[in-house]
Amino acid sequence: MDLQQNKKLKISLIVSDLSASGAGRWGGAVRTFLLYEALKKLNHEVKIFGFVFGEESLEVAQSNIPIVAIPCAYHSGFIKAAQKLIKQIDGDIIYAVKLKPTSFGLSIIKKITARCPVILDIDDWELSWHGGEQWKYRPSLKQFYRDTLKPDGALRYPDHPLYLKWMESLVSYADTITLHTQFLKDRFGGVYLPNGKDTTLFDPSQFDSEASRIRYGLTGYRILMFPGAPRPYKGLEEVLAALDRLNQPDLRLVIVGGSPYDAYDNQLMQQWERWIIKLPKYPVSEMPAVVAAAHIVVVPQRDTPAAQAQFPLKLTDGMAMAKPILSTYVGDIPEILGGTGYLVAPESPEEIAEKIQWIFEHLDEANQQGIKARERCISHYSTETMASILSDVIKDLQLAGKV
C-alpha cells in the first residue's frame, strides 16, 4: 500500500516536555518519536516543538530529527517560554502530544491565531496521577495566596492538576483525537492509534541471544527483563516477590534504564538486590540487542487507572523481538497480545511464580509463542500500521477543508 499523501504538509508535533524525564528519555523511543516516524513515512515535513524544564538537558539521540526546544523554569518561566515557542510553530497541522497545557493548551492558542487544525494525541489519563475524578482543588485563602504568589507556588507549575482538569474540558477544540487504549477511547472518543514498533530495527534474526547476554554481563542467568521505567503500578514488586518464592539462584530481573522520575528502582534494590541487575539507559538503536538478552520480557501491570489508560511500550519491545511475554489481565494488554503471551492476574506473585516456572520448563514452546507475538506485532503494531491510520486521519482533515 502506498502510504504517501498527495500533498506534502508541514506538521508541528507539540510536546509537553522534551527533557530527560519527559519525552527525551530512552533516547527518543517514546510515543512522540513513534508519531514522528509514522508521519515521515507519509512523506510529510515534520518538526518537534517543546520545552526543556528546569536544569535538565535535551537527551534525544536522533540528531537528524528537527527539534525546537525552549528552556523553561518549572515555576516562573512558562509564559515567556510559551510565547517564544508559539512564534516558531509553523505547521499546516498542529499535532498536540498529551492533554496538557504545555502541549494542547499552546496548540489551541495557535489554532485560534493561525487558523490551522489541531490533532490531539492522548496517551495517558493525566488526572489519574492525582486521584482521577476524586481530585479537588479547595484551598484556603492563605494556601491560594501561597500557590499563586510565591515564586515556587503550586499554581505556577503549568502541569498542576487544576490545569489538567481544565484541559479535559477543552477536548472539543481538537479537530481530531488519536489515542491508544480502549480506556481512553471510552473517555474521550477519537481514533485508535496503537503504539508501533520499527520491526526492521527490532528484528531477532539480526541478534544472537547468548552473545547479547555475554555483551551485557548476563551470562549464567535466566533473564526476566523489564525494559522500562520502574513505577509502583508496573508491578515489579510482584515479580520480585515471585522470585523470592521460587528461590532459584540463577534467576534475575534485569531493569533497563531505571526511573527518570524518582528513586523507586533504588527502593527495589534495597529490598531485593539479590534478584536485580540494573543496566543503564541505552539509545533506541541499541535496545534490540539489549532485549535479545532476555529469556522472558515481563510487563506485570497492576490494575490501576494509570495502567488501564496505557499501552505499555515494553510489550512491543518483547513482541518484535519474538520473546515470551509474561503480563497481566489489565486494560488492553490481553487484546494487544492476542493470545501470543502469558497472562496472570494482577498483583499475584503466586501466579507469576507458577508461570515463570512453567515457561522455563517449556521454553521451546514459549519461544514459539514469541515468534507468533512478532508476527502479530508486524501485522498490528508496527510504525507502518501507525502511518496507515494517520494517513486516513489527515485525509479526513483535507476532505473537511481544514488543511
Side-chain angles (χ1 to χ4, degrees):
M1 177 176 24
D2 183 5
L3 293 175
Q4 293 190 0
Q5 302 284 332
N6 292 327
K7 179 183 176 184
K8 184 175 182 177
L9 298 170
K10 293 173 73 174
I11 300 177
S12 298
L13 278 168
I14 316 301
V15 183
S16 62
D17 184 357
L18 282 169
S19 53
S21 59
R25 69 187 185 276
W26 308 118
V30 294
R31 185 166 170 89
T32 294
F33 298 94
L34 300 177
L35 294 171
Y36 173 87
E37 293 297 334
L39 290 166
K40 290 296 290 182
K41 288 180 185 294
L42 301 176
N43 199 36
H44 294 306
E45 182 182 336
V46 189
K47 189 183 294 185
I48 295 173
F49 299 79
F51 301 104
V52 178
F53 282 101
E55 302 299 319
E56 297 192 54
S57 60
L58 180 67
E59 293 191 10
V60 180
Q62 294 97 322
S63 58
N64 60 318
I65 296 178
I67 295 175
V68 176
I70 303 295
C72 181
Y74 266 117
H75 290 90
S76 59
F78 174 65
I79 292 177
K80 287 184 178 180
Q83 290 171 339
K84 290 180 183 178
L85 193 64
I86 287 173
K87 287 179 182 177
Q88 298 190 58
I89 297 170
D90 58 355
D92 301 307
I93 296 173
I94 309 300
Y95 204 151
V97 183
K98 289 188 176 290
L99 188 49
K100 289 187 172 187
T102 45
S103 52
F104 185 49
L106 297 190
S107 300
I108 291 174
I109 295 171
K110 193 68 180 183
K111 174 180 179 174
I112 293 169
T113 58
R115 298 183 180 179
C116 53
V118 170
I119 305 172
L120 168 63
D121 185 72
I122 307 175
D123 71 343
D124 267 316
W125 182 29
E126 303 299 339
L127 278 175
S128 69
W129 310 111
H130 306 280
E133 300 287 5
Q134 306 306 314
W135 183 86
K136 306 290 182 187
Y137 182 63
R138 294 172 178 165
S140 64
L141 285 175
K142 186 176 181 181
Q143 184 62 49
F144 182 73
Y145 170 83
R146 286 197 295 263
D147 288 348
T148 54
L149 298 180
K150 292 190 70 173
D152 61 348
L155 289 177
R156 288 174 173 260
Y157 178 50
D159 286 341
H160 188 281
L162 177 63
Y163 306 140
L164 299 178
K165 199 163 190 174
W166 289 354
M167 286 297 101
E168 286 200 11
S169 70
L170 299 175
V171 164
S172 61
Y173 279 82
D175 295 274
T176 304
I177 298 169
T178 57
L179 26 70
H180 63 9
T181 64
Q182 189 61 45
F183 177 96
L184 293 170
K185 188 174 175 63
D186 290 344
R187 186 170 183 86
F188 298 107
V191 177
Y192 178 68
L193 180 66
N195 284 325
K197 189 65 62 180
D198 182 344
T199 54
T200 57
L201 175 64
F202 284 76
D203 180 355
S205 69
Q206 302 302 309
F207 302 92
D208 178 85
S209 292
E210 189 54 43
S212 280
R213 286 190 278 274
I214 293 169
R215 177 177 176 179
Y216 298 106
L218 304 176
T219 51
Y221 297 117
R222 290 180 293 162
I223 300 300
L224 313 174
M225 184 173 287
F226 179 79
R231 303 187 90 168
Y233 75 88
K234 295 185 179 181
L236 294 185
E237 293 176 44
E238 283 77 61
V239 174
L240 291 163
L243 295 183
D244 278 340
R245 295 175 69 89
L246 290 168
N247 197 28
Q248 297 173 13
D250 63 337
L251 289 172
R252 289 294 184 275
L253 173 64
V254 174
I255 299 173
V256 184
S259 174
Y261 314 107
D262 51 36
Y264 178 63
D265 47 345
N266 292 332
Q267 296 174 32
L268 296 177
M269 286 291 288
Q270 288 174 11
Q271 185 169 353
W272 285 290
E273 184 176 6
R274 174 188 178 191
W275 302 119
I276 298 174
I277 295 175
K278 289 177 66 177
L279 293 182
K281 182 168 64 176
Y282 296 98
V284 64
S285 58
E286 192 169 345
M287 283 305 294
V290 175
V291 178
H295 290 97
I296 303 171
V297 170
V298 291
V299 189
Q301 305 281 83
R302 293 177 177 175
D303 195 8
T304 68
Q308 292 165 14
Q310 289 191 336
F311 182 125
L313 287 163
K314 298 169 290 299
L315 283 178
T316 50
D317 285 350
M319 292 172 76
M321 291 302 292
K323 294 296 179 181
I325 298 168
L326 175 54
S327 193
T328 49
Y329 292 101
V330 172
D332 285 7
I333 291 173
E335 172 62 25
I336 295 166
L337 288 173
T340 66
Y342 298 92
L343 296 170
V344 298
E347 299 186 57
S348 178
E350 300 86 357
E351 287 191 35
I352 291 174
E354 290 173 5
K355 196 61 71 174
I356 290 170
Q357 184 77 12
W358 189 93
I359 290 172
F360 280 116
E361 288 175 353
H362 302 82
L363 196 54
D364 288 343
E365 179 180 337
N367 286 330
Q368 287 301 310
Q369 282 291 88
I371 292 170
K372 293 178 182 177
R374 174 170 169 78
E375 292 170 355
R376 181 169 176 79
C377 188
I378 291 170
S379 61
H380 291 81
Y381 305 112
S382 65
T383 48
E384 285 78 10
T385 300
M386 293 183 76
S388 179
I389 294 169
L390 285 171
S391 175
D392 291 340
V393 167
I394 293 170
K395 283 178 182 175
D396 286 345
L397 290 175
Q398 291 173 321
L399 289 171
K402 295 182 177 182
V403 183

